[in-house]
Amino acid sequence: MLGAIKDHNLEAAPGRLGQGSKETYEYILKYKGKLNKGEDYENIAIKANSDGSFLRLKDVARVEFGSYTYTATNRVDGKPVAGFAILQTAGSNANEILTEIEKQVKVMETTLPKGVKPIIMYNSKDFLDASIHQVVETLVIAFVLVFIVVFIFLQDFRSTLIPAIAVPVAIIGTFFFLQLFGFSINMLTLFALVLAIGIVVDDAIVVVEAVHSKMEQTGMPVEHATMHSMSEISGAIISITLVMCAVFIPVGFMQGPAGVFYRQFAFTLAIAILISAVNALTLSPALCAMFLNDPQGEHGEHGHKKVLEQDSSMLLMPASTA
């Protein structure tokens, strides 16, 4: 009996007749597939009699649909439920799928019988939204802390604007390369962006502090102080960037499940670090020259003239005394 049910209740791909031949037409074979009605099971032939008749399943058994398993029951708040899971296919957008599912659940709710309502037991979109919120929250906290720290130590409001501009530029640039490399916004890339925010802030602060220190010590105008400062710290910025990239980039080339898991994290962080270094060498110095005020007081114009006189005297010094 069980053998007869298995033979008649199966999924198959019959294919086509005449495919690839010289004939004009080809015929598609259709197969009903798995049975879904009680009558279909009742009419399953179990045995062929000698008189040409068939012994069918309904002749020896009572056919009815029952539970898939009798060893477990599904209940929520003490009420019976019928649950099913929706799995994401490879390469699809999880956020779009979950958003569309929520819309379809609302439509489904209007067609269900009275007393029956749909509920979502587990929604991975909650974790995705929380991760995005965490990135935004970290970015806001970084802005506030940078503003407070830079303003307290440098006593200059304009200096706080430079890191505030450099950080979004680095983060937005990272999103561009994520799109270019085919990476998606997921838990790993968002975690890397959270860590990258602190790094990109540091590079901008280093440039601002170096320019301020040069102006206070020498009294140079902001343009000259920026050029002198960058000539001193450019090597340090490049070296620390290469060191940090050397830590994360090899992780992206790991083989096996670990490599697949950490590849997006490593490359996202490395891209953010590289963009931050480019900003520190180009954008941040330009912003310093535009936003910062020339030094005033005892180290102002007099100090700058003194530095220029010392530079000119060194240039005119005879070679023998040098």
Side-chain angles (χ1 to χ4, degrees), residues 136-197:
V136 176
E137 181 180 352
T138 304
L139 189 61
V140 173
I141 294 175
F143 280 152
V144 174
L145 292 178
V146 168
F147 180 87
I148 295 174
V149 172
V150 174
F151 185 77
I152 290 176
F153 285 92
L154 299 182
Q155 298 294 314
D156 184 13
F157 175 77
R158 294 191 175 192
S159 300
T160 61
L161 298 177
I162 298 172
I165 295 174
V167 173
V169 171
I171 299 300
I172 294 174
T174 304
F175 282 119
F176 169 78
F177 283 98
L178 290 181
Q179 178 70 21
L180 185 64
F181 293 154
F183 295 162
S184 62
I185 303 300
N186 51 48
M187 303 292 289
L188 296 174
T189 54
L190 291 177
F191 177 53
L193 289 175
V194 171
L195 296 179
I197 290 174

Side-chain angles (χ1 to χ4, degrees), residues 49-279:
N49 299 320
S50 58
D51 57 356
S53 62
F54 292 93
L55 180 65
R56 302 185 183 276
L57 185 61
K58 63 181 179 181
D59 298 330
V60 297
R62 184 178 72 252
V63 178
E64 63 180 15
F65 289 131
S67 299
Y68 179 76
T69 175
Y70 292 93
T71 59
T73 57
N74 295 331
R75 292 183 178 273
V76 174
D77 296 332
K79 300 178 181 180
V81 297
F84 61 91
I86 299 177
L87 303 178
Q88 178 186 356
T89 58
S92 58
N93 189 303
N95 189 63
E96 293 179 356
I97 293 175
L98 294 170
T99 302
E100 184 63 26
I101 290 174
E102 292 177 349
K103 293 180 181 178
Q104 295 300 324
V105 168
K106 293 180 180 179
V107 175
M108 184 191 303
E109 190 173 4
T110 61
T111 61
L112 292 175
K114 185 178 180 180
V116 179
K117 64 178 182 179
I119 59 173
I120 300 177
M121 296 295 299
Y122 174 80
N123 191 351
S124 57
K125 188 175 183 296
D126 297 335
F127 295 94
L128 185 61
D129 293 340
S131 300
I132 296 175
H133 175 73
Q134 185 66 34
V135 173
V136 176
E137 181 180 352
T138 304
L139 189 61
V140 173
I141 294 175
F143 280 152
V144 174
L145 292 178
V146 168
F147 180 87
I148 295 174
V149 172
V150 174
F151 185 77
I152 290 176
F153 285 92
L154 299 182
Q155 298 294 314
D156 184 13
F157 175 77
R158 294 191 175 192
S159 300
T160 61
L161 298 177
I162 298 172
I165 295 174
V167 173
V169 171
I171 299 300
I172 294 174
T174 304
F175 282 119
F176 169 78
F177 283 98
L178 290 181
Q179 178 70 21
L180 185 64
F181 293 154
F183 295 162
S184 62
I185 303 300
N186 51 48
M187 303 292 289
L188 296 174
T189 54
L190 291 177
F191 177 53
L193 289 175
V194 171
L195 296 179
I197 290 174
I199 299 174
V200 299
V201 167
D202 290 342
D203 289 341
I205 292 178
V206 166
V207 174
V208 175
E209 290 180 343
V211 175
H212 265 275
S213 176
K214 181 64 66 175
M215 289 191 300
E216 291 179 357
Q217 293 177 1
T218 63
M220 291 182 178
V222 62
E223 293 84 358
H224 293 80
T226 301
M227 290 188 293
H228 279 260
S229 299
M230 294 308 300
S231 64
E232 295 175 355
I233 66 174
S234 294
I237 293 176
I238 295 174
S239 61
I240 190 62
T241 301
L242 295 178
V243 170
M244 297 190 69
C245 289
V247 174
F248 295 105
I249 290 180
V251 178
F253 295 97
M254 294 176 59
Q255 301 296 323
V260 175
F261 190 74
Y262 288 109
R263 181 172 296 117
Q264 296 190 33
F265 168 80
F267 286 164
T268 300
L269 198 54
I271 290 170
I273 294 172
L274 289 173
I275 295 178
S276 174
V278 174
N279 285 344

